[in-house]
Amino acid sequence: MGIADAVPGVSGGTVAFITGIYEELLHSLNAFDREALKLLGRFRLAELWKKINGNFLLILSAGVVTSLLVLAGIIFYLIVQYPILVSSFFFGVIVASVALVLKEIKAWGFKPVAMFFVTAVIGYCITWLSPVTTPDTYWFVFICGALAVSSMIFPGISGAFILLLVGKYEFMIVSLVEFDPLIIVVFATGGVVGLLSFARLITWVLDHYHHITVAALAGFMLGSLNKVWPWRKGLEFATTRDGQQVAVFDKSILPWHFLSETGRDPQLFQAILMTALGVCIVILTERIATRLKLKH
């Protein structure tokens, strides 16, 4: 989930869904309620830990944080140096994930179908939004944390892409790589507040409108494919702190137009291989997760 959330256009919620931990994650987050606060106030820590599914959340959080701290810089480097191959891989991941999520819908009807197409269009439109310039103040970093981490558990809406839209993607990557503890703590605090609030909303919707909600999630994932389309032409650029120019706003183009419009090799064969690799990894991950759940 941490690796996925470091890539604009890819959601950690997608990873949670295909590994079969999505609903357990939501219900664990929802366990932070008044009863949990009472247990904490009475120092009944063992009961509190069991109530919030502490082992699960601790291990998952450790994996996410470790990925972000250790791999964020590597992911950012790969995106800059090998954009087509990285995007192709995650394109395959999302395509396979959409198919797996749609398998969760056992009863198709007009409402799930309509919701799927509506959210796919909305997700596609979101990928066309242009980034804005925003302040680096702590209060805004807190808000960014709430928005980005909330979207982390929403398949199809990427936390990294949200940061990109609000102009804070590179800022947070640099803060993680250079380990700015105050920025990280403020961002994480906002993330916890947003995560606990949003988890309750999406759990309620899933419990009451399961098939429609799953169709909506799949639609958002399908719409987000535009953001990870491998062949892109930059429209607006920004200079990183080490002097590299990166596109902050771009558009998708066809691979056979890529060479003429950008002057770069479309790497079509390698891109197809990376897409296939992404699909295979998702299928393999889903099968392993299914077998592990059956054993338990």
Side-chain angles (χ1 to χ4, degrees), residues 19-274:
T19 53
I21 66 167
Y22 189 67
E23 293 195 23
E24 182 177 1
L25 172 59
L26 290 178
H27 287 293
S28 299
L29 292 172
N30 288 333
F32 288 88
D33 53 17
R34 290 182 181 179
E35 184 183 345
L37 288 176
K38 288 179 182 179
L39 292 174
L40 179 62
R42 295 169 185 168
F43 294 99
R44 294 161 62 178
L45 301 183
E47 293 179 49
L48 173 64
W49 190 255
K50 183 177 180 180
K51 174 178 171 54
I52 64 173
N53 200 3
N55 289 339
F56 170 81
L57 290 178
L58 177 63
I59 294 170
L60 183 65
S61 300
V64 171
V65 171
T66 301
S67 295
L68 289 174
L69 291 178
V70 176
L71 300 176
I74 297 173
I75 294 295
F76 187 65
Y77 170 82
L78 292 174
I79 291 172
V80 172
Q81 298 296 324
Y82 308 100
I84 293 177
L85 300 185
V86 173
S87 295
S88 298
F89 173 77
F90 284 109
F91 190 89
V93 168
I94 295 176
V95 167
S97 299
V98 170
L100 291 178
V101 171
L102 289 176
K103 282 174 58 180
E104 296 289 319
I105 303 176
K106 307 302 181 185
W108 282 95
F110 173 75
K111 290 181 179 179
V113 171
M115 185 61 71
F116 175 73
F117 284 107
V118 167
T119 54
V121 171
I122 293 173
Y124 178 81
C125 291
I126 289 174
T127 66
W128 274 101
L129 295 177
S130 179
V132 297
T133 301
T134 52
D136 295 340
T137 52
Y138 292 124
W139 68 267
F140 193 76
V141 171
F142 178 91
I143 291 174
C144 289
L147 291 173
V149 178
S150 295
S151 62
M152 184 178 77
I153 61 168
F154 197 96
I157 302 295
S158 161
F161 182 56
I162 295 296
L163 290 179
L164 200 64
L165 288 179
V166 298
K168 284 292 168 284
Y169 178 67
E170 187 194 347
F171 176 80
M172 285 310 305
I173 288 290
V174 171
S175 298
L176 287 168
V177 172
E178 298 181 353
F179 195 72
D180 186 329
L182 190 54
I183 290 293
I184 293 172
V185 168
V186 172
F187 183 87
T189 304
V192 170
V193 173
L195 190 64
L196 295 179
S197 303
F198 187 71
R200 280 173 168 71
L201 172 62
I202 196 169
T203 301
W204 185 88
V205 174
L206 268 173
D207 288 343
H208 290 80
Y209 307 98
H210 185 269
H211 294 319
I212 296 175
T213 305
V214 172
L217 297 178
F220 276 118
M221 291 165 64
L222 183 67
S224 73
L225 282 173
N226 180 56
K227 188 59 189 173
V228 290
W229 178 252
W231 299 279
R232 313 190 66 80
K233 180 181 179 180
L235 301 176
E236 294 179 19
F237 295 86
T239 303
T240 63
R241 296 187 183 186
D242 57 2
Q244 291 182 314
Q245 272 207 329
V246 294
V248 293
F249 187 56
D250 50 22
K251 68 173 183 177
S252 301
I253 58 177
L254 294 172
W256 40 90
H257 295 159
F258 187 77
L259 179 61
S260 60
E261 295 198 30
T262 68
R264 290 182 286 137
D265 181 5
Q267 299 177 288
L268 185 58
F269 180 69
Q270 298 96 313
I272 292 172
L273 287 180
M274 291 301 290

Side-chain angles (χ1 to χ4, degrees), residues 11-22 93-94 96-101 104 155 221 278-279 281-290 293:
S11 169
T14 300
V15 177
F17 218 111
I18 64 175
T19 53
I21 66 167
Y22 189 67
V93 168
I94 295 176
S97 299
V98 170
L100 291 178
V101 171
E104 296 289 319
M221 291 165 64
V279 171
I281 287 179
V282 169
I283 293 173
L284 181 62
T285 301
E286 190 268 344
R287 288 184 177 177
I288 292 173
T290 300
K293 288 182 74 176

